[in-house]
Structures are given as C-alpha cells and as structure tokens.
Amino acid sequence: MILTSTLNELREARSGLLNPVGLVPTMGFLHEGHISLVRCAKGENESVVVSIYVNPTQFAPTEDLKAYPRNTERDLALLENEGVDLVWSPSDQDMYPPGFQTWVELERLTKFLEGSYRPEHFRGVATVVSKLFNAVQPQRAYFGQKDAQQAVVITRMTQDLNFPVEVIICPTIREADGLALSSRNSYLNPEERRGAPVLYRALSGAKEAFESGIIDSEELHTHMLEVLENEPLAEVEYVSVADLETLEELDGPITRGLLSMAVRFRTTRLIDNMIVGVDH
Ligand code: AMP
C-alpha cells in the first residue's frame, strides 16, 4: 500500500496504478461502513484509492472540526488489511492554497434537509469531492447511502460538471441494534448510545407502515415523530418525507420517497434515512 501526502506524490503514484481505479473518499476514523465501500470498490476495479481528509470547509465554525475523531495509524492498518493500493492524506495547504477562491455550489438540492441546518456544508463537500476527482482521476467513486443528501448532491454534481466518474452508492451499514455506523457515534456516552437506535426504529417503523399501505406523507411523518418522542434524550432537528431526486418535501399520498431525520443527543448530531417504494 502506497501512502501519499503531497499532490505530486499522489499524481506519481496514481500514474502507476492499473485502471479502472475506484476512489473511496473518507474523513478517516474508519469503521465497517467505510470498509464496506472499500470492499465494493475492490470488487469492481483493478485498483482502489482511499482518501483520508477531514475537510475543514464542510464544517461550520460552531461544529466539531477540532474534536472530530482521528486515528490514522489504525485507519492505515485497516486499509492495508483490505488490500487498498493507495492512500492519499492531503494537507490543508494542498487542498486550500493561500488565496483559494474557487467553489462548487449546487443551486437547489443543497437548500433542503441537511442544507437548511448546515448552509455551507455542501459547498465544502462538492468542492472537496471535485478536487479529489481531479487529483485522483478515478473511473468510479463510492459513497454511502447513510449520507443520503450527499449521495444525491454528488451524483448531480458529477453529471453537471461532466466528470468522467461513475458514482456508486452503497447501502448503510448498521450495528446489531440498528444504529447506523458513524465516526460521530464515538461522542455518545453509554446512556445516549442506548437511546441512539431510536432513529432506526422510527425509520423502520415508518417503512413498515408504508409497506402495509399507509402512504400519506403526513401520517408517515407523524409515525416517525411519535417514536422519536418516546426517547427522552433525543432532540429532533427535523424529520422529512422527501422526493428522492429533488429532495423537496412531499405531501399527500406517495409511491416512493426518502424518509430522513437529524436528531441531537446533547451535543452529538445523528442523521439517518431509509428509502421507501423502491426495490433494492
Ligand atoms: P465520512 O468519513 O463520514 O465522511 O464518510 C465517508 C464515506 O463513508 C461517505 O460516503 C459516507 O456516506 C460513508 N459512510 C459513513 N457511514 C456509513 C455507513 N454506516 N454505512 C455505509 N457508508 C457509510
């Protein structure tokens, strides 16, 4: 496994890789969710590149950039074990050189859901992913359904900017009790951790309701809120039933949709989602 940091190192190592190359962008502190993306990429490509970069521009000043968990040594051991070919851990200096002023922004998709609570977030994500695509030049790139809006945003951006990259979205990996794996789960104290699977219960309850014929978006909404309200530690930020492509809120009866939510446990913000009405 080749380790690179500067852009020149990355470019040189990239030129020696067999195509097709699959890229898995991460912020490190890897878990089975990330590893599932790596395995998916391994299965479909000659070479796999993993980037590890805690991108400062996708965090608001009030968010957890400084506290974001890091463990590079462990990450590298896990990636080595998966047979990853190349790891790129760029510096802030390379990603945002002095005088930086070029951003990638999406007009509408980023206004809803996460974007309405984290207004700058997707500008940071779209910009950094564009830079990763330009530098690594992968044929395929792998993202998790766990971050549903990010998946839609990156798919749209890749088409809009004509990146010659196939974007592949992989399923959400969960703990045995349903909690979606996330680096941020490490912030939860034991009591909060016990409460955290309520997101999964709310989503899977609504999905079951949908499958049993309750297709009114208001009812699905209420269903999710009722489950969340039973968990005293959970503070709901939003609960949504949205269009799968435009991410706009739906009302009335639906045939398919994205159920999603953001819930705070004290200072830890958890998100999760499920798709209804589409076979996987
Ligand atoms: P992050 O390091 O949190 O930026 O995540 C890197 C990639 O892993 C993103 O594409 C995430 O959507 C994906 N990911 C994070 N958690 C999970 C999970 N539980 N299951 C599947 N993919 C995930």
Side-chain angles (χ1 to χ4, degrees):
M1 190 169 78
I2 309 169
L3 305 185
T4 58
S5 173
T6 68
L7 263 170
N8 282 340
E9 285 166 1
L10 180 265
R11 289 194 180 119
E12 197 183 319
R14 164 64 181 97
S15 67
L17 294 181
L18 288 177
N19 289 320
V21 166
L23 169 67
V24 181
T26 81
M27 299 206 297
F29 209 69
L30 303 180
H31 51 63
E32 279 297 316
H34 300 109
I35 299 302
S36 75
L37 304 185
V38 170
R39 290 187 183 149
C40 199
K42 276 292 280 184
E44 297 178 345
N45 300 280
E46 285 295 326
S47 316
V48 174
V49 177
V50 175
S51 60
I52 301 180
Y53 182 57
V54 183
N55 174 35
T57 65
Q58 68 191 66
F59 290 77
T62 51
E63 292 179 353
D64 56 341
L65 173 62
K66 279 222 178 76
Y68 198 82
R70 293 163 168 87
N71 189 343
T72 311
E73 215 171 297
R74 181 171 172 276
D75 290 348
L76 295 178
L78 287 170
L79 297 176
E80 174 107 62
N81 196 39
E82 294 299 322
V84 166
D85 299 278
L86 170 53
V87 177
W88 184 31
S89 313
S91 64
D92 287 341
Q93 185 71 17
D94 268 343
M95 293 309 261
Y96 299 102
F100 182 90
Q101 54 186 294
T102 307
W103 298 96
V104 178
E105 285 194 73
L106 290 87
E107 280 180 4
R108 278 196 315 279
L109 283 176
T110 55
K111 300 289 179 275
F112 313 110
L113 304 172
E114 287 299 283
S116 60
Y117 288 85
R118 306 182 72 192
E120 305 281 277
H121 175 68
F122 288 112
R123 180 177 86 148
V125 170
T127 301
V128 82
V129 171
S130 300
K131 291 167 70 76
L132 295 173
F133 283 4
N134 280 333
V136 175
Q137 309 211 338
Q139 278 74 26
R140 299 195 180 91
Y142 295 79
F143 298 87
Q145 178 59 30
K146 159 76 170 36
D147 298 287
Q149 186 170 14
Q150 171 172 283
V152 176
V153 163
I154 288 169
T155 303
R156 180 76 256 157
M157 175 199 84
T158 304
Q159 287 171 7
D160 288 355
L161 295 182
N162 306 123
F163 281 114
V165 179
E166 185 185 352
V167 172
I168 293 159
I169 309 304
C170 305
T172 302
I173 304 299
R174 299 176 180 282
E175 303 277 8
D177 60 10
L179 177 63
L181 296 190
S182 164
S183 308
R184 290 191 168 100
N185 293 348
S186 63
Y187 300 150
L188 298 170
N189 70 29
E191 201 189 349
E192 292 159 353
R193 174 62 189 82
R194 277 194 293 279
V198 73
L199 282 82
Y200 172 75
R201 288 203 304 279
L203 288 163
S204 44
K207 188 171 171 144
E208 270 171 39
F210 175 85
E211 284 162 2
S212 72
I214 298 173
I215 58 164
D216 182 73
S217 16
E218 282 306 311
E219 281 184 62
L220 294 171
H221 217 264
T222 308
H223 204 96
M224 291 190 275
L225 279 175
E226 279 173 3
V227 177
L228 292 171
E229 276 159 12
N230 277 326
E231 171 49 60
L233 296 179
E235 285 172 56
V236 179
E237 207 161 75
Y238 68 81
V239 162
S240 159
V241 180
D243 183 272
L244 287 170
E245 277 97 38
T246 66
L247 303 181
E248 285 174 58
E249 274 313 292
L250 295 171
D251 49 27
I254 60 167
T255 53
R256 57 211 284 268
L258 176 70
L259 312 181
S260 69
M261 54 184 58
V263 178
R264 279 183 189 280
F265 284 77
R266 207 172 31 102
T267 51
T268 306
R269 188 172 180 280
L270 302 179
I271 59 169
D272 201 351
N273 70 88
M274 281 186 196
I275 290 174
V276 294
V278 177
D279 290 335
H280 284 285

